[in-house]
Amino acid sequence: MGDELGPSRTARIDLGAIRSNVESLRAHAGQAEVLAVVKADAYGHGLLPSARAARAAGASWLGVALLEEALALRAAGVDGRLLAWLLAPGEPRLADAVAADVDLSVSAVWGVDEAVAAARAVGRPARLHLKADTGLSRGGATAADWDQLVATALRAEADGTVRVVGVWTHLAWADVPDHPTVDKQLDAFAYAVERAERAGARLEVRHAANSAATLTRPDARFDLVRPGLAVYGLSPVPQLGGPEAYGLRPAMTLTAKLALVKRVPEGSGVSYGHAYVTPRDTTVGLVPLGYADGVPRHASGSGPVLAAGRRRKVAGRVCMDQFVLDLGDDAAAAGDEVVLFGAGDDGAPTAEEWAQAAGTISYEIVARLGPRVHRVWVDG
């Protein structure tokens, strides 16, 4: 098959679905603003197209993990409020981020100090969100360090080098809405906000809710919610309901073209280790996607696809660049389309089904797609 027939591995992203999902999330958020998380190449959906679609649908904020992501958005002309939250000491482009009006998260005194230095270098104040560790034990200042962080930031604000615009936290068990840690963390967050405001912080936003909390915990909305996975139409609480239960639609469809179709006899070992042996004379099809492209090797023998008109599972092990399907006696030819996952309303599997097959979460299924998968953006 030549290039004129199109790429053999394609992720088609429906920007109309992303816009619709953001509109649904705005409805769930009530009076809170929506920050659409577009980190990690928008969970594999494409940083710039996804960010623009989210903005068009009313996301007043965008969020990324890394400064490089934030600066790529600014370089492409994406304006409006933008928060970057995963900073390490000595970030080489911190001053560029301050100059580009990127909001920064800080969890320790050193973060305030570096923001102050960057602000002085570019002649404008840095906008800071102070992160409280309320029980995730990941980013954020612990209760023991919180007052010192707040005091340091407010002293810098008095000097005109920073503005303390937000306080935020992240929930550990938001995907289990009635888990006792959720209430405990929200109480700890409210206390951290109270202490910051009592010390003199004049906050623009207080935020704690990710996708799961946005959809299931109204008491976690505060001034701003930060949905990520739900922006792309996947349910963060699949045990409670699929995307349709929350007005969402998966935006990504992953397809490939059969690279080879051939008959093999009964008893043929398939792929490495012969983990699958054909039970009869059969047709096998070669799919040119593998774990180097993001197809989980853990889904060997279980990953679902739609091929030759039927649902099937990966036959044998997923390899670096390819895997095999047992097509039985169904008609198939090289170049025929195979659907790994999509919206699920056309008989094809979903990313959630792949997650279950691989023993992981749907976040990983979409975010892990590699650069060899051709992205196509459509407006459905």
Side-chain angles (χ1 to χ4, degrees), residues 70-91:
L71 291 171
L73 288 168
R74 289 297 195 232
V78 178
D79 57 9
R81 293 266 55 88
L82 172 58
L83 172 64
W85 53 71
L86 190 57
L87 282 63
E91 291 283 355

Side-chain angles (χ1 to χ4, degrees), residues 359-380:
T360 185
I361 54 178
S362 59
Y363 301 68
E364 184 179 357
I365 297 301
V366 293
R368 68 187 294 163
L369 290 188
R372 301 193 306 182
V373 178
H374 182 67
R375 268 72 165 180
V376 175
W377 293 273
V378 298
D379 200 331

Side-chain angles (χ1 to χ4, degrees), residues 18-291:
I18 292 176
R19 290 197 303 272
S20 176
N21 295 333
V22 170
E23 290 168 358
S24 291
L25 290 162
R26 288 178 61 199
H28 282 285
Q31 298 301 309
E33 294 184 76
V34 171
L35 177 153
V37 179
V38 293
K39 65 179 181 178
D41 198 33
Y43 292 47
H45 292 71
L47 176 65
L48 293 176
S50 299
R52 288 169 175 148
R55 275 273 196 251
S60 50
W61 290 67
L62 297 173
V64 295
L66 307 179
L67 288 185
E68 302 95 285
E69 297 168 320
L71 291 171
L73 288 168
R74 289 297 195 232
V78 178
D79 57 9
R81 293 266 55 88
L82 172 58
L83 172 64
W85 53 71
L86 190 57
L87 282 63
E91 291 283 355
R93 301 198 65 189
L94 188 61
D96 293 340
V98 174
D101 197 27
V102 175
D103 287 32
L104 308 172
S105 171
V106 294
S107 299
V109 167
W110 67 259
V112 177
D113 293 341
E114 294 201 2
V116 166
R120 287 175 175 160
V122 299
R124 66 177 296 168
R127 289 172 52 92
L128 301 185
H129 296 236
L130 308 183
K131 187 173 186 182
D133 179 1
T134 58
L136 185 59
S137 299
R138 202 173 65 174
T142 64
D145 296 330
W146 181 247
D147 288 345
Q148 182 184 16
L149 175 62
V150 170
T152 302
L154 291 178
R155 282 196 299 271
E157 184 171 68
D159 292 340
T161 50
V162 308
R163 290 180 58 200
V164 179
V165 299
V167 170
W168 73 298
T169 195
H170 199 60
L171 301 173
W173 284 85
D175 54 339
V176 183
D178 58 354
H179 196 279
T181 60
V182 180
D183 288 337
K184 185 176 180 180
Q185 282 195 260
L186 292 178
D187 287 344
F189 179 62
Y191 184 63
V193 169
E194 178 187 355
R195 292 189 70 81
E197 292 180 330
R198 187 179 300 169
R202 296 162 294 175
L203 304 175
E204 294 178 12
V205 288
R206 305 149 191 83
H207 48 111
N210 59 2
S211 287
T214 299
L215 297 174
T216 66
R217 290 290 303 236
D219 56 338
R221 292 171 183 161
F222 298 99
D223 306 304
L224 180 70
V225 297
R226 305 186 310 268
L229 185 75
V231 169
Y232 309 103
L234 301 176
S235 173
V237 284
Q239 77 282 12
L240 299 180
E244 66 285 348
Y246 301 101
L248 306 174
R249 178 177 175 81
M252 180 187 290
T253 300
L254 178 62
T255 64
K257 293 179 179 179
L258 290 173
L260 180 68
V261 174
K262 61 186 179 183
R263 294 289 291 182
V264 298
E266 176 185 348
S268 295
V270 175
S271 195
Y272 289 127
H274 288 178
Y276 180 80
V277 177
T278 58
R280 63 199 181 289
D281 291 358
T282 192
T283 299
V284 295
L286 188 64
V287 180
L289 280 168
Y291 58 77

